[in-house]
Amino acid sequence: MKLSTKILLFSVLFFFFLSTMAYADVTPGETINQTNWQKIQGLVPDYIVMWVKNGDMTMKIGKLDYDPASYWSDDVKANWKSNVGRYKIDENNGIIDVKTGKPAHDIKGLPFPEPDIKDPKMPVMLMWNNIFEEYFLQGNKHSMNYWLCFGRNDKSRPEKIFALEDLTYIMKPWRPGCDYAQLSVFRQPMSMAGTGTLALYPLYPLDIGKGQRFAYSTEMRRELRLDTKLTGSDDHFGFDAAPDDSWVGGPKTAINEGIYKFVREQDALIPYVVEGPLKVSWKDKNYLGIGSAETGYELKMGYNTPGWTGAPWHVTNIIWVKSKVWVFTVRSTDRSYKYGECEGWVEQGTFSHIYKRITDVNGKLWKGLYYVNLPVECTDGKFKKMSLEGQVVVDMRRDHGSVYPGTYYKGAYFKILIKNAEPTLFTAGGFKQFYK
């Protein structure tokens, strides 16, 4: 090969390398849209790239003024070191106490604060950390959550708005068949008001049959006893998310049916609501008040954002921050499960669930999800937590999207760490009193 040819080839490869590197990075303060979508390639799943490229969404790149990896309450920090190596995952994807070899209960803090990527069960550890963040680290709680769904042309108002009142009670001490209980009742729309469920959940997967689930339907006007295991891949009430889409993993109430495989760790763009945490405070020394009613913060969607030209279901008043994630795949062993292989992205340090890529049983891309990090901090500095709010689910088969702004929509409330919670509500009689 002639020297001039070598120089030409080197120049072409060099400039290609530079252009690739330029596209693979972003700068705080810039906006990513149809004109520069190449910059996010490799930093987000393929469906996010597609949505930005086709104009459905834009991304405002930001920078945090605190370290989210250290954003844990005093209780979690106090049990951090003692929990490292204390628990393991068994063949049923359940948590086992290493000392006793038995299923673990009454776990304080995070069960797996420092998961080892060399452990084949590491992705399952991430799933259990999520369950503890969602339930146990928030203690007894009471909230009003909102669900919204949209068709492509719903530019001025949602197709549907549901409001769900939710209570969670942590059993202390635990009792066989029930480590925590959840009571959920729809309050809006009127046609659904009063419909709800009461579920008593065990931690260990094979104990799911010992749990209990009751449902009441205003249509049938009677209570039903149901299986505690949910059909987690079935859409419900015309929205785009299935029950298992409340996290980036596979089967949730049947975690033993999920087969997980660690894929890689990488840089990624993570959605956050603000550069700094929202400040919250104790109310009557009984509970910590967060949510829209307490913080004044609301998540906005495309439909109510002036000048927005993208899809109506995307959250618009957020920033996207550079961070690191773990990526894994999961599939269900249940032959009736509607999803094929799913891919989950979990942020390192916070253990926040960020992206879920869902395929059908034939391996074709079906749904794309993202979840928004929302940090809150008590004014006394003793309690810090990272909430996941503003979940967006897009069903690309039917060009339809759902948003779950949760407690950050039009005055919704969220009370956590309730000290004077009433356990009698989490009984058949209490359930009847509540849904009426």
Side-chain angles (χ1 to χ4, degrees):
M1 186 181 292
K2 295 182 179 180
L3 180 61
S4 59
T5 305
K6 289 182 179 179
I7 293 174
L8 177 62
L9 179 61
F10 175 79
S11 299
V12 170
L13 292 174
F14 179 72
F15 283 110
F16 174 77
F17 174 76
L18 286 181
S19 64
T20 302
M21 291 300 291
Y23 283 155
D25 205 3
V26 292
T27 304
E30 70 177 326
T31 298
I32 306 298
N33 53 34
Q34 286 180 293
T35 66
N36 58 355
W37 59 268
Q38 298 94 336
K39 286 192 171 187
I40 62 172
Q41 285 185 302
L43 295 174
V44 293
D46 56 350
Y47 56 85
I48 297 286
V49 176
M50 180 176 65
W51 295 341
V52 174
K53 184 179 179 181
N54 67 19
D56 274 358
M57 68 184 294
T58 60
M59 302 170 70
K60 298 175 184 177
I61 308 304
K63 186 178 181 180
L64 302 179
D65 59 14
Y66 67 101
D67 178 12
S70 63
Y71 215 71
W72 297 103
S73 67
D74 288 354
D75 181 58
V76 172
K77 292 177 181 177
N79 293 280
W80 193 280
K81 291 184 178 180
S82 60
N83 281 358
V84 174
R86 182 175 180 178
Y87 305 105
K88 68 177 183 179
I89 304 295
D90 71 356
E91 67 278 7
N92 300 309
N93 287 344
I95 305 177
I96 297 297
D97 189 306
V98 172
K99 289 184 179 179
T100 65
K102 296 180 179 180
H105 301 278
D106 291 331
I107 298 171
K108 295 180 175 61
L110 283 173
F112 302 104
E114 297 179 13
D116 183 1
I117 61 172
K118 296 178 181 178
D119 190 325
K121 294 289 188 178
M122 178 266 197
V124 185
M125 296 177 184
L126 300 180
M127 299 301 100
W128 278 114
N129 279 350
N130 175 263
I131 288 176
F132 272 76
E133 285 186 84
E134 183 179 357
Y135 296 105
F136 296 92
L137 300 188
Q138 299 183 39
N140 303 323
K141 59 183 184 178
H142 182 185
S143 65
M144 183 68 75
N145 299 276
Y146 282 87
W147 303 0
L148 290 71
C149 72
F150 304 83
R152 168 68 62 178
N153 297 318
D154 294 325
K155 300 292 186 180
S156 60
R157 60 184 178 85
E159 180 181 284
K160 286 188 291 190
I161 301 178
F162 279 22
L164 183 71
E165 188 174 4
D166 184 273
L167 286 83
T168 299
Y169 186 77
I170 307 301
M171 298 296 176
K172 290 184 178 181
W174 74 280
R175 69 178 193 227
C178 184
D179 289 85
Y180 64 100
Q182 189 170 26
L183 196 164
S184 303
V185 176
F186 285 106
R187 299 304 185 193
Q188 183 183 333
M190 285 299 296
S191 59
M192 290 287 294
T195 297
T197 61
L198 167 65
L200 309 180
Y201 291 109
L203 268 184
Y204 191 68
L206 296 192
D207 288 341
I208 197 72
K210 298 177 183 177
Q212 299 179 63
R213 181 184 295 276
F214 302 93
Y216 176 79
S217 167
T218 53
E219 222 174 287
M220 294 183 292
R221 295 183 180 276
R222 65 189 182 97
E223 296 170 27
L224 300 174
R225 175 75 181 268
L226 304 176
D227 191 343
T228 311
K229 173 189 170 183
L230 289 171
T231 309
S233 60
D234 288 351
D235 298 346
H236 52 335
F237 306 118
F239 288 81
D240 297 281
D244 285 344
D245 297 335
S246 62
W247 69 354
V248 300
K252 193 168 186 179
T253 57
I255 192 173
N256 54 299
E257 295 177 358
I259 298 178
Y260 289 82
K261 182 180 178 181
F262 177 74
V263 177
R264 64 184 181 276
E265 51 184 337
Q266 65 164 82
D267 289 336
L269 288 172
I270 309 297
Y272 277 81
V273 294
V274 284
E275 288 83 359
L278 300 179
K279 298 293 184 178
V280 297
S281 59
W282 287 94
K283 302 298 178 182
D284 301 323
K285 298 182 179 180
N286 181 38
Y287 66 88
L288 197 60
I290 62 179
S292 176
E294 299 294 342
T295 64
Y297 185 84
E298 288 186 11
L299 289 166
K300 289 187 176 181
M301 280 64 74
Y303 87 97
N304 62 355
T305 300
W308 178 258
T309 59
W313 48 73
H314 285 302
V315 181
T316 59
N317 59 336
I318 57 176
I319 59 173
W320 300 75
V321 177
K322 195 88 169 286
S323 186
K324 289 187 177 294
V325 296
W326 292 295
V327 181
F328 62 84
T329 59
V330 58
R331 61 182 178 84
S332 174
T333 59
D334 185 348
R335 292 185 178 181
S336 64
Y337 205 69
K338 291 184 178 180
Y339 293 165
E341 185 175 80
C342 299
E343 182 180 86
W345 294 35
V346 174
E347 186 181 24
Q348 297 182 17
T350 64
F351 301 117
S352 294
H353 287 209
I354 303 301
Y355 298 116
K356 184 174 183 177
R357 185 183 192 274
I358 300 171
T359 67
D360 61 21
V361 293
N362 296 313
K364 186 176 180 180
L365 179 60
W366 178 5
K367 298 179 185 179
L369 290 75
Y370 63 88
Y371 309 70
V372 180
N373 264 340
L374 195 153
V376 294
E377 179 178 344
C378 186
T379 50
D380 64 12
K382 295 181 180 180
F383 183 85
K384 301 176 181 179
K385 75 179 293 290
M386 193 70 69
S387 293
L388 286 180
E389 304 285 351
Q391 175 193 2
V392 175
V393 185
V394 182
D395 185 330
M396 285 166 278
R397 282 181 176 176
R398 61 178 187 148
D399 198 24
H400 197 270
S402 295
V403 191
Y404 302 82
T407 61
Y408 287 88
Y409 181 77
K410 293 189 176 180
Y413 57 84
F414 196 2
K415 304 172 183 178
I416 64 173
L417 301 177
I418 299 174
K419 297 178 180 179
N420 298 324
E422 182 50 68
T424 58
L425 280 176
F426 301 87
T427 62
F431 176 43
K432 182 177 293 187
Q433 172 189 337
F434 193 73
Y435 64 66
K436 287 184 177 180

